[in-house]
Amino acid sequence: EKAICGDLESKETWQLLAGESFEVILFEHVLEHLSDPWQILKKAATRLVPGGHIIIALPNISNAENRFRMLFGQFEYAEIGVMDKTHLRFFNQKTARELITQAGLKVDAYASPWRVNPVREFIDHLPGLNVFRKLFRKNISKSLLFSNNLTDVVMLFKCSR
């Protein structure tokens, strides 16, 4: 019915949204590109109708692949992905949940559409252990599945007030 094209960090855009309310607000790989995602999410939360939801997708800087790269001295920006050169902010499980609660929201559901195998990432980053790679192609240890900070490359949160 209505489209507003604007910069989320400008006063003008929020003036255009004055009086508007929404059932669902999507922040799919947006917040990490903002200088103050905390303020933007807080403002957006005030625009939700009762029972409304905010869906947030964020890359996880603490996934196993990134951890092992950093452990071995690699911190290189890329054209896409977690290390996208246009990211101004980086989040992990803890800081993403803090962002959400500081905006007055609660997490109703969590999922990850993209996971890595921490054991395989470790093997991939240590010279000489590549012979074991086939053992860990897709098999993620059940105990590691409970460590979202290691396995989840993308974090997907469904939030409400």
Side-chain angles (χ1 to χ4, degrees):
E1 293 178 27
K2 183 177 183 179
I4 298 173
C5 183
D7 177 353
L8 284 174
E9 295 187 295
S10 77
K11 289 180 184 177
E12 294 79 19
T13 300
W14 289 98
Q15 289 169 348
L16 291 171
L17 292 169
E20 297 283 345
S21 58
F22 305 94
E23 292 178 22
V24 177
I25 299 173
L26 300 175
F27 285 107
E28 294 189 15
H29 298 280
V30 171
L31 295 171
E32 66 272 19
H33 296 272
L34 303 175
S35 61
D36 191 352
W38 301 271
Q39 189 62 32
I40 299 304
L41 190 56
K42 193 178 288 189
K43 284 181 182 180
T46 66
R47 305 286 188 221
L48 280 179
V49 299
H53 292 94
I54 293 181
I55 309 297
I56 300 169
L58 290 167
N60 176 16
I61 189 73
S62 293
N63 73 72
E65 182 180 1
N66 281 1
R67 285 183 191 214
F68 288 118
R69 283 185 180 162
M70 288 180 212
L71 181 65
F72 290 98
Q74 298 172 335
F75 189 93
E76 290 139 16
Y77 289 100
E79 293 298 317
I80 58 171
V82 176
M83 297 303 296
D84 184 311
K85 65 183 179 182
T86 64
H87 289 174
L88 300 180
R89 302 291 179 187
F90 293 97
F91 295 94
N92 63 18
Q93 280 286 328
K94 180 179 183 272
T95 58
R97 289 176 184 275
E98 288 171 353
L99 168 73
I100 291 165
T101 57
Q102 288 172 10
L105 298 166
K106 64 181 175 123
V107 176
D108 297 322
Y110 173 82
S112 179
W114 181 8
R115 288 185 163 157
V116 294
N117 182 327
V119 177
R120 181 169 167 224
E121 292 300 329
F122 178 72
I123 288 170
D124 283 352
H125 286 84
L126 285 179
L129 290 182
N130 286 346
V131 294
F132 298 107
R133 177 186 257 182
K134 290 179 185 174
L135 295 173
F136 300 102
R137 277 229 168 92
K138 296 230 178 206
N139 302 325
I140 299 176
S141 165
K142 290 190 190 255
S143 64
L144 291 174
L145 282 176
F146 298 105
S147 179
N148 295 341
N149 231 10
L150 275 176
T151 59
D152 299 357
V153 177
V154 174
M155 303 175 290
L156 188 59
F157 299 92
K158 178 182 177 187
C159 309
S160 63
R161 288 176 50 150

